[in-house]
Amino acid sequence: MALHIDSFTFRIAATDLQSTAKRYTSRFSSRNGLTLLFAHCVGSHKEQWEPTIEQIFRLQQQKDQRDRIREAWAFDWQSHGDAAIINARVLDSRKDAVSPSEWALALESFVESHLRGHRIVALGHSAGTCAIAP
């Protein structure tokens, strides 16, 4: 199944860090469907979710429009993956690591500014679960 993938970089309010995300859609996506959010574990990156996202989109082809996926978003922790590259200078100057609570604020900020009105289901692995739990 061919997915359409868009990459995004966004600023996080009240911080000098940026975050990165990918949005996945397919020709079977439904405007009234669910929006899935994926948050990875420590030591990983947003692309770890791609096999899972592909399988979810493949399985949803036969679902009713309301039960289909609208889109899926996978996010990098500010100190992981592509975000670590764009934040390298800021991260090098920090004395502390980026905490799960800082990642949670970034995710919350993104949802509030970009996904209002969406029916959201969040999925996380390990520390990613901590970031989506608040």
Side-chain angles (χ1 to χ4, degrees):
M1 157 171 284
L3 292 179
H4 182 78
I5 305 171
D6 296 304
S7 296
F8 294 85
T9 300
F10 58 97
R11 293 216 169 270
I12 302 160
T15 180
D16 49 358
L17 294 171
Q18 297 181 66
S19 196
T20 55
K22 284 188 175 180
R23 182 180 65 156
Y24 303 84
T25 56
S26 84
R27 64 187 179 105
F28 298 102
S29 294
S30 170
R31 180 136 174 79
N32 298 320
L34 297 171
T35 296
L36 306 180
L37 306 182
F38 292 88
H40 62 77
C41 61
V42 171
S44 192
H45 49 80
K46 64 188 173 303
E47 289 81 10
Q48 89 163 39
W49 290 107
E50 286 184 355
T52 303
I53 292 168
E54 288 173 0
Q55 183 65 11
I56 290 171
F57 272 100
R58 189 175 302 115
L59 292 171
Q60 61 99 40
Q61 294 177 45
Q62 305 302 319
K63 301 287 184 186
D64 291 333
Q65 288 290 324
R66 182 163 167 74
D67 297 331
R68 289 189 184 177
I69 307 304
R70 177 180 186 158
E71 59 193 7
W73 289 86
F75 296 88
D76 271 332
W77 198 334
Q78 296 96 311
S79 57
H80 291 66
D82 293 331
I85 295 168
I86 63 173
N87 290 321
R89 191 173 22 179
V90 175
L91 293 170
D92 286 345
S93 68
R94 288 176 63 128
K95 71 176 191 176
D96 295 323
V98 179
S99 70
S101 61
E102 287 178 278
W103 192 20
L105 291 172
L107 295 173
E108 180 182 17
S109 173
F110 184 86
V111 168
E112 288 179 1
S113 63
H114 292 62
L115 302 177
R116 284 204 176 273
H118 289 229
R119 295 183 311 132
I120 296 173
V121 175
L123 301 102
H125 176 232
S126 193
T129 304
C130 295
I132 61 174

mmCIF file of all heavy atoms in Angstrom, residues 10-45:
data_model
loop_
_atom_site.group_PDB
_atom_site.id
_atom_site.type_symbol
_atom_site.label_atom_id
_atom_site.label_comp_id
_atom_site.label_asym_id
_atom_site.label_seq_id
_atom_site.Cartn_x
_atom_site.Cartn_y
_atom_site.Cartn_z
ATOM 1 N N PHE A 10 8.360 21.956 13.558
ATOM 2 C CA PHE A 10 7.581 23.006 14.212
ATOM 3 C C PHE A 10 8.268 23.482 15.477
ATOM 4 O O PHE A 10 8.974 22.734 16.147
ATOM 5 C CB PHE A 10 6.149 22.546 14.495
ATOM 6 C CG PHE A 10 6.027 21.321 15.360
ATOM 7 C CD1 PHE A 10 5.805 21.435 16.724
ATOM 8 C CD2 PHE A 10 6.109 20.061 14.812
ATOM 9 C CE1 PHE A 10 5.682 20.315 17.523
ATOM 10 C CE2 PHE A 10 5.984 18.927 15.599
ATOM 11 C CZ PHE A 10 5.765 19.059 16.967
ATOM 12 N N ARG A 11 8.084 24.760 15.755
ATOM 13 C CA ARG A 11 8.625 25.380 16.970
ATOM 14 C C ARG A 11 7.730 25.030 18.151
ATOM 15 O O ARG A 11 6.520 24.873 18.006
ATOM 16 C CB ARG A 11 8.702 26.883 16.818
ATOM 17 C CG ARG A 11 9.702 27.306 15.790
ATOM 18 C CD ARG A 11 10.411 28.598 16.213
ATOM 19 N NE ARG A 11 11.541 28.842 15.357
ATOM 20 C CZ ARG A 11 12.773 28.392 15.597
ATOM 21 N NH1 ARG A 11 13.010 27.715 16.668
ATOM 22 N NH2 ARG A 11 13.768 28.648 14.773
ATOM 23 N N ILE A 12 8.350 24.981 19.295
ATOM 24 C CA ILE A 12 7.624 24.660 20.522
ATOM 25 C C ILE A 12 7.578 25.926 21.370
ATOM 26 O O ILE A 12 8.618 26.525 21.663
ATOM 27 C CB ILE A 12 8.332 23.522 21.281
ATOM 28 C CG1 ILE A 12 8.436 22.296 20.358
ATOM 29 C CG2 ILE A 12 7.586 23.195 22.556
ATOM 30 C CD1 ILE A 12 9.488 21.322 20.780
ATOM 31 N N ALA A 13 6.384 26.329 21.732
ATOM 32 C CA ALA A 13 6.193 27.556 22.515
ATOM 33 C C ALA A 13 7.012 27.502 23.802
ATOM 34 O O ALA A 13 7.161 26.451 24.423
ATOM 35 C CB ALA A 13 4.717 27.742 22.829
ATOM 36 N N ALA A 14 7.539 28.642 24.189
ATOM 37 C CA ALA A 14 8.271 28.830 25.451
ATOM 38 C C ALA A 14 9.554 28.000 25.531
ATOM 39 O O ALA A 14 10.011 27.669 26.619
ATOM 40 C CB ALA A 14 7.369 28.533 26.646
ATOM 41 N N THR A 15 10.136 27.660 24.393
ATOM 42 C CA THR A 15 11.404 26.936 24.390
ATOM 43 C C THR A 15 12.160 27.274 23.112
ATOM 44 O O THR A 15 11.591 27.767 22.148
ATOM 45 C CB THR A 15 11.182 25.405 24.502
ATOM 46 O OG1 THR A 15 12.445 24.750 24.499
ATOM 47 C CG2 THR A 15 10.340 24.881 23.367
ATOM 48 N N ASP A 16 13.446 26.997 23.115
ATOM 49 C CA ASP A 16 14.241 27.236 21.920
ATOM 50 C C ASP A 16 14.436 25.965 21.097
ATOM 51 O O ASP A 16 15.222 25.932 20.162
ATOM 52 C CB ASP A 16 15.594 27.855 22.290
ATOM 53 C CG ASP A 16 16.291 27.114 23.407
ATOM 54 O OD1 ASP A 16 15.737 26.136 23.934
ATOM 55 O OD2 ASP A 16 17.409 27.517 23.767
ATOM 56 N N LEU A 17 13.699 24.919 21.434
ATOM 57 C CA LEU A 17 13.779 23.658 20.715
ATOM 58 C C LEU A 17 12.710 23.572 19.625
ATOM 59 O O LEU A 17 11.663 24.216 19.711
ATOM 60 C CB LEU A 17 13.596 22.479 21.674
ATOM 61 C CG LEU A 17 14.695 22.291 22.713
ATOM 62 C CD1 LEU A 17 14.287 21.228 23.723
ATOM 63 C CD2 LEU A 17 16.013 21.918 22.052
ATOM 64 N N GLN A 18 12.988 22.757 18.623
ATOM 65 C CA GLN A 18 12.023 22.454 17.585
ATOM 66 C C GLN A 18 11.724 20.956 17.637
ATOM 67 O O GLN A 18 12.483 20.184 18.219
ATOM 68 C CB GLN A 18 12.571 22.812 16.211
ATOM 69 C CG GLN A 18 12.848 24.297 16.044
ATOM 70 C CD GLN A 18 13.369 24.588 14.661
ATOM 71 O OE1 GLN A 18 12.651 24.430 13.685
ATOM 72 N NE2 GLN A 18 14.622 24.995 14.574
ATOM 73 N N SER A 19 10.632 20.567 17.023
ATOM 74 C CA SER A 19 10.293 19.157 16.946
ATOM 75 C C SER A 19 9.993 18.807 15.502
ATOM 76 O O SER A 19 9.727 19.678 14.673
ATOM 77 C CB SER A 19 9.097 18.844 17.848
ATOM 78 O OG SER A 19 9.008 17.453 18.057
ATOM 79 N N THR A 20 10.051 17.529 15.209
ATOM 80 C CA THR A 20 9.782 17.058 13.854
ATOM 81 C C THR A 20 8.704 15.989 13.896
ATOM 82 O O THR A 20 8.543 15.283 14.890
ATOM 83 C CB THR A 20 11.054 16.481 13.195
ATOM 84 O OG1 THR A 20 11.586 15.458 14.035
ATOM 85 C CG2 THR A 20 12.101 17.558 12.986
ATOM 86 N N ALA A 21 7.969 15.902 12.806
ATOM 87 C CA ALA A 21 6.889 14.921 12.705
ATOM 88 C C ALA A 21 6.710 14.515 11.258
ATOM 89 O O ALA A 21 7.134 15.226 10.338
ATOM 90 C CB ALA A 21 5.585 15.512 13.248
ATOM 91 N N LYS A 22 6.088 13.370 11.066
ATOM 92 C CA LYS A 22 5.652 12.931 9.748
ATOM 93 C C LYS A 22 4.158 12.658 9.818
ATOM 94 O O LYS A 22 3.667 12.100 10.809
ATOM 95 C CB LYS A 22 6.376 11.663 9.310
ATOM 96 C CG LYS A 22 7.798 11.900 8.861
ATOM 97 C CD LYS A 22 8.383 10.631 8.267
ATOM 98 C CE LYS A 22 9.763 10.874 7.701
ATOM 99 N NZ LYS A 22 10.322 9.636 7.127
ATOM 100 N N ARG A 23 3.463 13.064 8.756
ATOM 101 C CA ARG A 23 2.021 12.793 8.647
ATOM 102 C C ARG A 23 1.825 11.773 7.523
ATOM 103 O O ARG A 23 2.355 11.932 6.425
ATOM 104 C CB ARG A 23 1.253 14.057 8.321
ATOM 105 C CG ARG A 23 -0.253 13.799 8.243
ATOM 106 C CD ARG A 23 -0.994 15.045 7.932
ATOM 107 N NE ARG A 23 -0.619 15.490 6.592
ATOM 108 C CZ ARG A 23 -1.376 16.252 5.831
ATOM 109 N NH1 ARG A 23 -2.528 16.700 6.274
ATOM 110 N NH2 ARG A 23 -0.972 16.610 4.644
ATOM 111 N N TYR A 24 1.046 10.745 7.830
ATOM 112 C CA TYR A 24 0.784 9.667 6.889
ATOM 113 C C TYR A 24 -0.702 9.655 6.532
ATOM 114 O O TYR A 24 -1.563 9.713 7.419
ATOM 115 C CB TYR A 24 1.129 8.311 7.522
ATOM 116 C CG TYR A 24 2.559 8.219 8.005
ATOM 117 C CD1 TYR A 24 2.930 8.709 9.258
ATOM 118 C CD2 TYR A 24 3.541 7.645 7.211
ATOM 119 C CE1 TYR A 24 4.236 8.626 9.701
ATOM 120 C CE2 TYR A 24 4.857 7.550 7.655
ATOM 121 C CZ TYR A 24 5.189 8.046 8.897
ATOM 122 O OH TYR A 24 6.490 7.964 9.331
ATOM 123 N N THR A 25 -0.984 9.570 5.247
ATOM 124 C CA THR A 25 -2.351 9.415 4.761
ATOM 125 C C THR A 25 -2.321 8.407 3.618
ATOM 126 O O THR A 25 -1.259 8.079 3.090
ATOM 127 C CB THR A 25 -2.941 10.751 4.248
ATOM 128 O OG1 THR A 25 -2.085 11.274 3.234
ATOM 129 C CG2 THR A 25 -3.096 11.769 5.378
ATOM 130 N N SER A 26 -3.501 7.928 3.240
ATOM 131 C CA SER A 26 -3.609 7.020 2.093
ATOM 132 C C SER A 26 -4.829 7.400 1.275
ATOM 133 O O SER A 26 -5.643 8.235 1.689
ATOM 134 C CB SER A 26 -3.719 5.569 2.561
ATOM 135 O OG SER A 26 -5.048 5.236 2.883
ATOM 136 N N ARG A 27 -4.985 6.765 0.141
ATOM 137 C CA ARG A 27 -6.156 7.046 -0.687
ATOM 138 C C ARG A 27 -7.440 6.562 -0.017
ATOM 139 O O ARG A 27 -8.521 6.930 -0.426
ATOM 140 C CB ARG A 27 -5.991 6.457 -2.083
ATOM 141 C CG ARG A 27 -5.891 4.957 -2.125
ATOM 142 C CD ARG A 27 -5.557 4.503 -3.555
ATOM 143 N NE ARG A 27 -5.437 3.068 -3.625
ATOM 144 C CZ ARG A 27 -6.351 2.276 -4.155
ATOM 145 N NH1 ARG A 27 -7.436 2.785 -4.700
ATOM 146 N NH2 ARG A 27 -6.165 0.979 -4.172
ATOM 147 N N PHE A 28 -7.315 5.756 1.040
ATOM 148 C CA PHE A 28 -8.476 5.275 1.778
ATOM 149 C C PHE A 28 -8.776 6.129 3.007
ATOM 150 O O PHE A 28 -9.689 5.837 3.761
ATOM 151 C CB PHE A 28 -8.273 3.816 2.208
ATOM 152 C CG PHE A 28 -8.109 2.882 1.052
ATOM 153 C CD1 PHE A 28 -6.859 2.408 0.688
ATOM 154 C CD2 PHE A 28 -9.210 2.490 0.302
ATOM 155 C CE1 PHE A 28 -6.702 1.560 -0.387
ATOM 156 C CE2 PHE A 28 -9.067 1.633 -0.778
ATOM 157 C CZ PHE A 28 -7.807 1.173 -1.128
ATOM 158 N N SER A 29 -8.001 7.176 3.234
ATOM 159 C CA SER A 29 -8.217 8.043 4.398
ATOM 160 C C SER A 29 -9.596 8.683 4.334
ATOM 161 O O SER A 29 -10.114 8.968 3.257
ATOM 162 C CB SER A 29 -7.147 9.143 4.458
ATOM 163 O OG SER A 29 -5.888 8.590 4.702
ATOM 164 N N SER A 30 -10.176 8.893 5.507
ATOM 165 C CA SER A 30 -11.503 9.489 5.605
ATOM 166 C C SER A 30 -11.429 10.770 6.427
ATOM 167 O O SER A 30 -10.890 10.773 7.536
ATOM 168 C CB SER A 30 -12.464 8.507 6.278
ATOM 169 O OG SER A 30 -13.680 9.126 6.593
ATOM 170 N N ARG A 31 -11.987 11.841 5.905
ATOM 171 C CA ARG A 31 -11.984 13.127 6.613
ATOM 172 C C ARG A 31 -12.648 13.034 7.982
ATOM 173 O O ARG A 31 -12.317 13.774 8.893
ATOM 174 C CB ARG A 31 -12.687 14.182 5.761
ATOM 175 C CG ARG A 31 -12.729 15.534 6.387
ATOM 176 C CD ARG A 31 -12.388 16.606 5.375
ATOM 177 N NE ARG A 31 -12.557 17.938 5.885
ATOM 178 C CZ ARG A 31 -11.690 18.553 6.673
ATOM 179 N NH1 ARG A 31 -10.616 17.950 7.066
ATOM 180 N NH2 ARG A 31 -11.899 19.781 7.072
ATOM 181 N N ASN A 32 -13.555 12.118 8.155
ATOM 182 C CA ASN A 32 -14.246 11.933 9.433
ATOM 183 C C ASN A 32 -13.623 10.837 10.285
ATOM 184 O O ASN A 32 -14.141 10.505 11.337
ATOM 185 C CB ASN A 32 -15.721 11.609 9.192
ATOM 186 C CG ASN A 32 -16.434 12.740 8.493
ATOM 187 O OD1 ASN A 32 -16.205 13.898 8.800
ATOM 188 N ND2 ASN A 32 -17.265 12.414 7.523
ATOM 189 N N GLY A 33 -12.515 10.279 9.821
ATOM 190 C CA GLY A 33 -11.882 9.171 10.529
ATOM 191 C C GLY A 33 -11.039 9.606 11.717
ATOM 192 O O GLY A 33 -11.003 10.778 12.099
ATOM 193 N N LEU A 34 -10.354 8.642 12.267
ATOM 194 C CA LEU A 34 -9.507 8.863 13.442
ATOM 195 C C LEU A 34 -8.153 9.441 13.049
ATOM 196 O O LEU A 34 -7.617 9.134 11.980
ATOM 197 C CB LEU A 34 -9.264 7.540 14.168
ATOM 198 C CG LEU A 34 -10.478 6.830 14.743
ATOM 199 C CD1 LEU A 34 -10.091 5.433 15.220
ATOM 200 C CD2 LEU A 34 -11.072 7.644 15.867
ATOM 201 N N THR A 35 -7.597 10.259 13.927
ATOM 202 C CA THR A 35 -6.229 10.736 13.798
ATOM 203 C C THR A 35 -5.399 9.991 14.834
ATOM 204 O O THR A 35 -5.708 10.030 16.024
ATOM 205 C CB THR A 35 -6.146 12.257 14.032
ATOM 206 O OG1 THR A 35 -6.884 12.915 13.007
ATOM 207 C CG2 THR A 35 -4.710 12.745 14.016
ATOM 208 N N LEU A 36 -4.379 9.286 14.370
ATOM 209 C CA LEU A 36 -3.515 8.518 15.258
ATOM 210 C C LEU A 36 -2.234 9.299 15.524
ATOM 211 O O LEU A 36 -1.653 9.879 14.600
ATOM 212 C CB LEU A 36 -3.160 7.174 14.625
ATOM 213 C CG LEU A 36 -4.319 6.298 14.160
ATOM 214 C CD1 LEU A 36 -3.785 5.001 13.557
ATOM 215 C CD2 LEU A 36 -5.269 6.001 15.310
ATOM 216 N N LEU A 37 -1.798 9.324 16.782
ATOM 217 C CA LEU A 37 -0.537 9.958 17.175
ATOM 218 C C LEU A 37 0.396 8.883 17.715
ATOM 219 O O LEU A 37 -0.014 8.086 18.564
ATOM 220 C CB LEU A 37 -0.760 11.012 18.259
ATOM 221 C CG LEU A 37 -1.777 12.113 18.000
ATOM 222 C CD1 LEU A 37 -1.802 13.082 19.166
ATOM 223 C CD2 LEU A 37 -1.471 12.841 16.710
ATOM 224 N N PHE A 38 1.629 8.874 17.253
ATOM 225 C CA PHE A 38 2.607 7.876 17.671
ATOM 226 C C PHE A 38 3.815 8.553 18.303
ATOM 227 O O PHE A 38 4.376 9.489 17.728
ATOM 228 C CB PHE A 38 3.082 7.054 16.465
ATOM 229 C CG PHE A 38 2.021 6.167 15.891
ATOM 230 C CD1 PHE A 38 1.167 6.642 14.915
ATOM 231 C CD2 PHE A 38 1.877 4.855 16.321
ATOM 232 C CE1 PHE A 38 0.176 5.838 14.367
ATOM 233 C CE2 PHE A 38 0.894 4.044 15.788
ATOM 234 C CZ PHE A 38 0.043 4.525 14.810
ATOM 235 N N ALA A 39 4.226 8.068 19.476
ATOM 236 C CA ALA A 39 5.390 8.590 20.197
ATOM 237 C C ALA A 39 6.326 7.412 20.514
ATOM 238 O O ALA A 39 5.896 6.405 21.083
ATOM 239 C CB ALA A 39 4.954 9.298 21.474
ATOM 240 N N HIS A 40 7.587 7.530 20.144
ATOM 241 C CA HIS A 40 8.554 6.441 20.258
ATOM 242 C C HIS A 40 9.201 6.356 21.642
ATOM 243 O O HIS A 40 9.020 7.219 22.498
ATOM 244 C CB HIS A 40 9.626 6.575 19.175
ATOM 245 C CG HIS A 40 10.425 7.837 19.278
ATOM 246 N ND1 HIS A 40 11.420 8.023 20.209
ATOM 247 C CD2 HIS A 40 10.371 8.987 18.560
ATOM 248 C CE1 HIS A 40 11.956 9.213 20.051
ATOM 249 N NE2 HIS A 40 11.325 9.837 19.060
ATOM 250 N N CYS A 41 10.014 5.323 21.809
ATOM 251 C CA CYS A 41 10.737 5.090 23.065
ATOM 252 C C CYS A 41 12.077 5.835 23.069
ATOM 253 O O CYS A 41 12.500 6.379 22.055
ATOM 254 C CB CYS A 41 10.972 3.595 23.253
ATOM 255 S SG CYS A 41 11.967 2.846 21.938
ATOM 256 N N VAL A 42 12.744 5.822 24.215
ATOM 257 C CA VAL A 42 14.080 6.416 24.331
ATOM 258 C C VAL A 42 15.024 5.671 23.387
ATOM 259 O O VAL A 42 14.976 4.451 23.271
ATOM 260 C CB VAL A 42 14.593 6.310 25.785
ATOM 261 C CG1 VAL A 42 16.056 6.710 25.883
ATOM 262 C CG2 VAL A 42 13.751 7.146 26.718
ATOM 263 N N GLY A 43 15.859 6.426 22.696
ATOM 264 C CA GLY A 43 16.857 5.830 21.822
ATOM 265 C C GLY A 43 16.334 5.470 20.443
ATOM 266 O O GLY A 43 17.032 4.815 19.667
ATOM 267 N N SER A 44 15.154 5.896 20.114
ATOM 268 C CA SER A 44 14.569 5.565 18.814
ATOM 269 C C SER A 44 14.214 6.850 18.065
ATOM 270 O O SER A 44 14.720 7.922 18.389
ATOM 271 C CB SER A 44 13.336 4.678 19.018
ATOM 272 O OG SER A 44 12.924 4.140 17.784
ATOM 273 N N HIS A 45 13.336 6.743 17.089
ATOM 274 C CA HIS A 45 12.928 7.889 16.276
ATOM 275 C C HIS A 45 11.553 7.596 15.688
ATOM 276 O O HIS A 45 11.054 6.468 15.767
ATOM 277 C CB HIS A 45 13.951 8.165 15.169
ATOM 278 C CG HIS A 45 14.306 6.924 14.395
ATOM 279 N ND1 HIS A 45 13.515 6.423 13.394
ATOM 280 C CD2 HIS A 45 15.354 6.077 14.521
ATOM 281 C CE1 HIS A 45 14.056 5.326 12.916
ATOM 282 N NE2 HIS A 45 15.174 5.092 13.589
#
